[in-house]
Amino acid sequence: MRILSSMLVPALALALTGCGAKSHEEGPVTDAWMRLSPIEGNPAAGYFTIKGGEEDNRLLSVTSPKVASIELHDMSIKDGMMEMKRIDDGVMIPAHGTVSFSPAGMHAMMFGVASEVKPGRKILLTFQFAKGEPANVEALVRGAGEDDGSHGMMH
Ligand SMILES: [Cu+2]
Protein backbone atom coordinates (compact mmCIF):
# COMPACT_ATOMS: atom_id res chain seq x y z
CA MET A 1 0.00 0.00 0.00
CA ARG A 2 2.82 2.35 0.83
CA ILE A 3 4.33 1.88 -2.62
CA LEU A 4 1.01 2.51 -4.36
CA SER A 5 0.26 5.76 -2.54
CA SER A 6 3.74 7.13 -3.24
CA MET A 7 3.17 6.55 -6.94
CA LEU A 8 -0.25 8.19 -6.92
CA VAL A 9 0.86 11.45 -5.34
CA PRO A 10 3.19 12.60 -8.13
CA ALA A 11 0.58 11.73 -10.76
CA LEU A 12 -2.04 13.81 -8.97
CA ALA A 13 0.35 16.73 -8.46
CA LEU A 14 1.17 16.68 -12.17
CA ALA A 15 -2.51 16.68 -13.11
CA LEU A 16 -3.23 19.65 -10.87
CA THR A 17 -0.28 21.63 -12.22
CA GLY A 18 -1.36 21.01 -15.79
CA CYS A 19 -4.89 22.10 -15.04
CA GLY A 20 -3.79 25.26 -13.26
CA ALA A 21 -1.52 26.32 -16.12
CA LYS A 22 -4.32 25.87 -18.63
CA SER A 23 -6.83 27.94 -16.70
CA HIS A 24 -4.38 30.82 -16.58
CA GLU A 25 -4.07 30.86 -20.35
CA GLU A 26 -7.77 30.44 -21.00
CA GLY A 27 -9.53 32.76 -18.60
CA PRO A 28 -13.20 33.64 -18.77
CA VAL A 29 -12.57 36.45 -21.28
CA THR A 30 -11.44 35.77 -24.86
CA ASP A 31 -11.36 37.51 -28.26
CA ALA A 32 -10.93 40.97 -26.77
CA TRP A 33 -10.45 43.87 -29.17
CA MET A 34 -11.34 47.51 -29.35
CA ARG A 35 -12.16 49.93 -32.12
CA LEU A 36 -10.99 53.50 -32.04
CA SER A 37 -13.35 56.29 -33.03
CA PRO A 38 -12.83 57.89 -36.45
CA ILE A 39 -12.85 61.19 -34.56
CA GLU A 40 -9.87 61.66 -32.28
CA GLY A 41 -10.94 62.21 -28.70
CA ASN A 42 -14.29 60.47 -29.14
CA PRO A 43 -14.96 57.28 -27.17
CA ALA A 44 -13.77 53.90 -28.43
CA ALA A 45 -15.67 50.63 -28.06
CA GLY A 46 -14.42 47.33 -26.66
CA TYR A 47 -15.67 43.88 -27.62
CA PHE A 48 -15.02 40.45 -26.12
CA THR A 49 -16.53 37.09 -25.24
CA ILE A 50 -17.08 35.92 -21.68
CA LYS A 51 -17.53 32.27 -20.78
CA GLY A 52 -19.49 31.37 -17.66
CA GLY A 53 -17.95 29.21 -14.96
CA GLU A 54 -19.43 26.62 -12.63
CA GLU A 55 -21.99 29.04 -11.20
CA ASP A 56 -23.85 32.14 -12.31
CA ASN A 57 -21.72 35.26 -12.17
CA ARG A 58 -21.95 38.92 -13.06
CA LEU A 59 -19.54 41.17 -14.91
CA LEU A 60 -19.35 44.34 -12.83
CA SER A 61 -16.81 46.52 -14.59
CA VAL A 62 -14.00 46.77 -17.09
CA THR A 63 -10.99 49.00 -16.46
CA SER A 64 -7.75 49.81 -18.26
CA PRO A 65 -4.68 51.84 -17.30
CA LYS A 66 -4.96 53.43 -20.78
CA VAL A 67 -8.60 54.50 -20.53
CA ALA A 68 -9.98 57.14 -18.15
CA SER A 69 -13.40 55.55 -17.75
CA ILE A 70 -15.20 52.53 -19.19
CA GLU A 71 -18.97 51.98 -19.16
CA LEU A 72 -20.87 48.88 -20.17
CA HIS A 73 -23.41 49.73 -22.88
CA ASP A 74 -26.17 47.89 -24.64
CA MET A 75 -27.53 48.61 -28.10
CA SER A 76 -31.19 48.34 -28.94
CA ILE A 77 -33.52 49.44 -31.71
CA LYS A 78 -36.11 52.03 -30.76
CA ASP A 79 -38.42 53.50 -33.39
CA GLY A 80 -36.14 52.11 -36.07
CA MET A 81 -33.08 53.83 -34.62
CA MET A 82 -30.11 52.23 -32.92
CA GLU A 83 -29.94 53.44 -29.36
CA MET A 84 -27.20 53.01 -26.76
CA LYS A 85 -28.03 52.49 -23.13
CA ARG A 86 -25.71 52.36 -20.16
CA ILE A 87 -25.83 49.17 -18.11
CA ASP A 88 -25.58 50.12 -14.46
CA ASP A 89 -26.08 46.83 -12.64
CA GLY A 90 -23.56 44.63 -14.44
CA VAL A 91 -24.10 41.87 -16.95
CA MET A 92 -25.29 38.40 -16.01
CA ILE A 93 -22.88 35.63 -17.02
CA PRO A 94 -24.83 32.36 -16.71
CA ALA A 95 -23.05 29.22 -15.55
CA HIS A 96 -21.53 27.42 -18.57
CA GLY A 97 -23.01 30.09 -20.84
CA THR A 98 -21.31 32.45 -23.28
CA VAL A 99 -21.96 36.18 -23.41
CA SER A 100 -20.68 38.11 -26.41
CA PHE A 101 -19.99 41.82 -26.51
CA SER A 102 -19.96 42.73 -30.18
CA PRO A 103 -20.73 45.54 -32.62
CA ALA A 104 -24.50 46.14 -32.68
CA GLY A 105 -24.81 44.57 -29.23
CA MET A 106 -23.34 45.07 -25.81
CA HIS A 107 -19.98 46.78 -25.70
CA ALA A 108 -17.57 48.52 -23.37
CA MET A 109 -17.65 52.26 -24.04
CA MET A 110 -14.20 53.73 -23.51
CA PHE A 111 -13.95 57.40 -22.62
CA GLY A 112 -10.61 59.16 -22.53
CA VAL A 113 -8.40 56.70 -24.41
CA ALA A 114 -4.69 57.53 -24.05
CA SER A 115 -3.14 59.00 -27.18
CA GLU A 116 -0.51 56.24 -27.41
CA VAL A 117 -3.27 53.67 -28.02
CA LYS A 118 -2.90 53.07 -31.77
CA PRO A 119 -4.17 50.45 -34.22
CA GLY A 120 -2.15 47.24 -34.08
CA ARG A 121 -1.17 47.70 -30.46
CA LYS A 122 -2.68 45.95 -27.47
CA ILE A 123 -4.01 47.35 -24.25
CA LEU A 124 -4.63 45.69 -20.92
CA LEU A 125 -8.23 45.29 -19.82
CA THR A 126 -9.20 44.12 -16.33
CA PHE A 127 -12.59 42.51 -15.86
CA GLN A 128 -14.13 42.60 -12.39
CA PHE A 129 -16.72 39.97 -11.54
CA ALA A 130 -19.12 39.59 -8.62
CA LYS A 131 -17.45 36.25 -7.83
CA GLY A 132 -13.88 35.12 -8.35
CA GLU A 133 -10.67 36.77 -9.38
CA PRO A 134 -10.49 39.69 -11.81
CA ALA A 135 -9.45 38.63 -15.32
CA ASN A 136 -6.67 40.46 -17.16
CA VAL A 137 -6.83 40.35 -20.93
CA GLU A 138 -4.92 42.06 -23.75
CA ALA A 139 -7.23 43.65 -26.28
CA LEU A 140 -6.10 44.25 -29.85
CA VAL A 141 -6.57 47.85 -30.97
CA ARG A 142 -8.23 48.36 -34.36
CA GLY A 143 -8.65 51.55 -36.29
CA ALA A 144 -12.03 53.06 -37.15
CA GLY A 145 -11.98 51.74 -40.72
CA GLU A 146 -11.07 48.17 -39.83
CA ASP A 147 -14.50 47.02 -38.62
CA ASP A 148 -17.51 45.86 -40.60
CA GLY A 149 -18.71 49.46 -40.82
CA SER A 150 -22.25 48.76 -39.71
CA HIS A 151 -22.14 50.84 -36.56
CA GLY A 152 -19.17 53.10 -36.96
CA MET A 153 -21.47 56.11 -36.79
CA MET A 154 -22.50 55.28 -33.25
CA HIS A 155 -19.03 55.70 -31.85
CU1 LIG B 1 -21.72 52.75 -26.32
Side-chain angles (χ1 to χ4, degrees):
M1 279 312 262
R2 199 169 291 158
I3 292 165
L4 183 63
S5 62
S6 70
M7 284 173 71
L8 278 172
V9 170
L12 183 66
L14 195 68
L16 287 172
T17 308
C19 186
K22 195 183 175 212
S23 71
H24 270 283
E25 282 167 29
E26 295 171 19
V29 184
T30 55
D31 305 322
W33 61 282
M34 65 176 281
R35 188 183 63 220
L36 297 171
S37 168
I39 302 160
E40 205 180 318
N42 275 20
Y47 308 107
F48 36 84
T49 300
I50 301 180
K51 286 191 168 57
E54 292 299 313
E55 50 182 345
D56 288 354
N57 206 345
R58 190 167 277 277
L59 172 66
L60 298 179
S61 67
V62 183
T63 54
S64 172
K66 303 286 182 213
V67 183
S69 110
I70 301 180
E71 293 177 0
L72 299 174
H73 280 192
D74 198 4
M75 201 88 93
S76 61
I77 295 175
K78 194 185 176 188
D79 303 326
M81 299 280 285
M82 293 295 283
E83 195 183 61
M84 279 202 308
K85 261 208 319 230
R86 203 173 88 188
I87 303 166
D88 286 318
D89 49 355
V91 175
M92 169 76 167
I93 312 293
H96 306 292
T98 301
V99 178
S100 291
F101 287 68
S102 59
M106 290 189 290
H107 54 276
M109 202 84 201
M110 302 172 160
F111 300 90
V113 179
S115 57
E116 74 259 31
V117 177
K118 300 280 184 217
R121 295 195 186 164
K122 287 185 171 182
I123 70 164
L124 177 71
L125 297 179
T126 299
F127 294 75
Q128 200 83 44
F129 295 94
K131 297 170 196 164
E133 298 276 300
N136 290 316
V137 174
E138 295 225 290
L140 177 68
V141 181
R142 289 183 175 153
E146 291 179 64
D147 68 314
D148 57 23
S150 56
H151 300 287
M153 298 288 283
M154 297 299 294
H155 295 111

